Amino acid sequence: MPVLIEIISPEKVLVSREVDMAVLPGMEGDIAAMPEHAPMMLLLRGGVVALHEGDVVTDRFFVAGGFADITGTRCTVLADKAVPVSEISIDNATAQLEALSEIWDKTDKTDMTRLSALQDQILAVRAEIDAGVGNA
């Protein structure tokens, strides 16, 4: 019995199909969405969603944070940004990391709210670079 996976970015629905398992990058560690999974909401960190058919990973998508709603029959990923790993541009991600690093350097170090948001963005871009390098 498969689980329906949907990966939705602000721009479009990237995936809507059945898989045997989807491994998601949760904030507290990776988690597998599988048939008969207990219902839960999951906060996502920047990382790769791997879709499985049996023991084979058929597709990999980078997500830059967001949420996942998991039930025993469905997994809906609402991503802040989502792209197939094969479409990651290392050059663009590296430029984005450099820009975020400059913003970090100029940010008031007592502004914990701003620093926390920047840290999340920096970690997501680093995860994107890692995913792209691993796919090269």
Side-chain angles (χ1 to χ4, degrees):
M1 177 169 96
V3 62
L4 175 65
I5 178 79
E6 292 182 309
I7 301 176
I8 304 166
S9 73
E11 294 85 25
K12 64 182 177 179
V13 176
L14 275 85
V15 174
S16 181
R17 67 181 172 94
E18 292 184 336
V19 296
D20 293 326
M21 177 174 67
V23 178
L24 311 171
M27 283 298 260
E28 296 180 11
D30 291 352
I31 190 163
M34 301 170 58
E36 301 182 20
H37 195 289
M40 69 181 302
M41 290 292 293
L42 180 68
L43 185 60
L44 299 173
R45 72 179 191 284
V48 174
V49 174
L51 306 183
H52 294 253
E53 297 289 336
D55 293 337
V56 177
V57 175
T58 58
D59 295 289
R60 298 174 67 229
F61 295 88
F62 173 76
V63 295
F67 296 89
D69 179 23
I70 302 171
T71 70
T73 59
R74 161 182 277 248
C75 175
T76 303
V77 174
L78 301 174
D80 298 337
K81 170 186 174 183
V83 294
V85 168
S86 61
E87 295 179 14
I88 291 174
S89 167
I90 301 295
D91 292 339
N92 289 347
T94 301
Q96 187 178 4
L97 180 59
E98 290 172 5
L100 287 168
S101 295
E102 288 178 21
I103 293 168
W104 176 273
D105 291 342
K106 295 175 184 175
T107 299
D108 177 1
K109 299 306 183 262
T110 63
D111 186 351
M112 298 310 291
T113 302
R114 179 72 176 132
L115 289 174
S116 179
L118 276 171
Q119 181 180 23
D120 289 346
Q121 291 175 311
I122 289 169
L123 291 174
V125 172
R126 286 182 178 162
E128 183 175 6
I129 292 168
D130 290 345
V133 168
N135 191 54

